[in-house]
Amino acid sequence: MNRTFKTVASSDISISELMLPSHTNFSGKIHGGYILSLLDQIAFACASKFSGNYCVTASVDTVNFLKPIEVGELVTMKASVNYVGNSSMIIGIRVEAENIQTGKIKHCNSSYFTMVAKDNDGKSMLVPGLILLNMNDVRRFFNCIKQIALKKERDLHEEEFDYNSKEALESLKKYNIKLEF
């Protein structure tokens, strides 16, 4: 079976939404949970558009809340596929908020979601390969490779680390905790 290939640009998708008072948290800023919901929606749309299949969220790898979003700002989310595996894709998402009266735009959030393509029976599907057309595409792809390596290293450390060892428990003394067992 020949694998098809698609460009990063073929996955590009953006959504914009005006932030309303009903989207706020207790401090009057737009609720992070609401933004997470929108991020998941655009990650789904981007991955499904690229793969041609239904996609599910495998993991939310990074969500960096950089600046608060205010009521009345127009939020625009831009997503693209940055990396593909066999059935998985890493979707990069940039969130910007625009003050629609002044035109000032601020970068509010950067996020990375791992999405997996599924068939009607819930089995993972092969996704198209990725055509990298410029150095920005290459940079994003390499950043995903590094992110995957760090994730594997963290998981390995998690499996191998002995939390019960005397040394491990001793090392906790430098933190603001109290062990009472």
Side-chain angles (χ1 to χ4, degrees):
M1 175 168 92
N2 289 338
R3 188 170 193 175
T4 61
F5 286 82
K6 290 184 175 181
T7 63
V8 172
S10 73
S11 73
D12 288 352
I13 193 163
S14 66
I15 59 171
S16 295
E17 185 173 329
L18 186 65
M19 294 296 105
L20 303 173
S22 61
H23 302 139
T24 60
N25 60 22
F26 294 110
S27 69
K29 307 296 182 195
I30 301 305
H31 196 289
Y34 184 71
I35 298 301
L36 282 169
S37 173
L38 293 175
L39 288 167
D40 194 47
Q41 289 175 42
I42 194 169
F44 166 81
C46 179
S48 295
K49 177 182 178 183
F50 182 79
S51 70
N53 290 295
Y54 177 76
C55 294
V56 296
T57 305
S59 66
V60 179
D61 303 313
T62 307
V63 179
N64 293 318
F65 291 99
L66 306 171
K67 293 184 179 153
I69 300 171
E70 307 290 337
V71 171
E73 290 183 324
L74 182 67
V75 168
T76 300
M77 297 185 174
K78 300 171 186 173
S80 64
V81 173
N82 291 354
Y83 172 90
V84 296
N86 288 317
S87 61
S88 66
M89 299 153 280
I90 296 179
I91 311 300
I93 308 165
R94 179 181 175 93
V95 179
E96 296 175 337
E98 178 182 3
N99 180 313
I100 56 176
Q101 285 139 355
T102 67
K104 185 176 181 206
I105 296 173
K106 60 186 176 184
H107 178 202
C108 298
N109 185 299
S110 288
S111 301
Y112 299 91
F113 281 57
T114 298
M115 306 297 289
V116 177
K118 299 287 187 174
D119 68 11
N120 291 336
D121 297 322
K123 293 187 173 118
S124 296
M125 296 282 300
L126 188 67
V127 299
L130 196 59
I131 300 171
L132 307 177
L133 291 176
N134 55 55
M135 291 311 290
N136 199 37
D137 292 350
V138 171
R139 177 186 60 81
R140 288 177 174 166
F141 192 85
F142 268 122
N143 283 341
C144 290
I145 291 171
K146 287 191 278 184
Q147 185 180 358
I148 291 165
L150 286 171
K151 202 182 206 184
K152 286 180 181 173
E153 186 178 318
R154 185 183 64 237
D155 291 347
L156 183 63
H157 176 75
E158 190 77 21
E159 290 174 12
E160 292 179 357
F161 189 75
D162 181 8
Y163 297 94
N164 294 317
S165 73
K166 184 177 180 178
E167 296 81 20
L169 293 172
E170 224 18 69
S171 73
L172 292 176
K173 288 185 177 179
K174 65 182 176 185
Y175 297 98
N176 188 22
I177 65 161
K178 191 159 101 174
L179 296 175
E180 293 190 349
F181 58 88

